[in-house]
């Protein structure tokens, strides 16, 4: 109880933000309150989504993170990893099928 009294402003600000997010998701029909996905309408669909595919392929095949040869002449994968994918949560994408990467990223 002392923890809550000491940090009530932080806890309250968290729940107010969460409430606004849930209200937005209900109004806009975002998953789990509808069929729309936030990922599709923002930067995530055009960048992160495809890099998650590349990350999935690299983790499953055990390839190097330094360079990716499957795209044109290839590209340096490491900067994209650190810029877009460095969250440890993204490593959990290997628990899903490759066809369900969009579902994984929507969660």
């Amino acid at each position: 109880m002392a923890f809550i009294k000491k940090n009530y402003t932080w806890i309250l600000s968290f729940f107010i933000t969460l409430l606004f997010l849930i209200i937005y998701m209900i109004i806009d029909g975002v998953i789990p309150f509808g069929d729309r996905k936030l990922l599709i309408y923002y930067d995530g669909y055009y960048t992160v989504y495809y890099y998650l595919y590349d990350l999935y392929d690299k983790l499953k095949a055990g390839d190097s993170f330094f360079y990716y040869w499957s795209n044109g002449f290839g590209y340096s994968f490491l900067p994209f990893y650190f810029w877009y994918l460095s969250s440890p949560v993204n490593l959990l994408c290997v628990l899903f099928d490759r066809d369900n990467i969009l579902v994984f990223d929507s969660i």
Side-chain angles (χ1 to χ4, degrees):
M1 197 63 161
F3 175 80
I4 294 174
K5 285 183 181 180
K6 183 179 178 184
N7 297 307
Y8 75 94
T9 55
W10 294 104
I11 296 168
L12 186 63
S13 65
F14 169 78
F15 282 110
I16 288 173
T17 305
L18 183 65
L19 176 69
F20 280 116
L21 178 64
I22 291 172
I23 290 171
Y24 166 75
M25 292 171 73
I26 290 170
I27 291 171
D28 206 29
V30 176
I31 290 177
F33 304 106
D35 295 334
R36 294 180 60 177
K37 297 173 181 67
L38 284 175
L39 177 68
I40 291 176
Y41 301 106
Y42 301 109
D43 189 43
Y45 181 73
Y46 297 104
T47 53
V48 177
Y49 179 56
Y50 297 105
Y51 292 135
L52 272 173
Y53 270 129
D54 295 346
L55 178 66
Y56 179 87
D57 293 340
K58 286 189 161 298
L59 290 173
K60 284 291 188 173
D63 291 342
S64 171
F65 272 51
F66 291 111
Y67 211 76
Y68 192 69
W69 291 100
S70 298
N71 230 350
F73 287 115
Y75 64 89
S76 180
F77 184 75
L78 204 55
F80 290 104
Y81 173 76
F82 283 117
W83 188 258
Y84 293 106
L85 303 171
S86 60
S87 169
V89 175
N90 287 329
L91 298 175
L92 297 176
C93 72
V94 296
L95 300 176
F96 288 74
D97 292 332
R98 193 176 195 277
D99 298 332
N100 294 328
I101 294 293
L102 181 63
V103 174
F104 165 75
D105 205 30
S106 294
I107 295 173

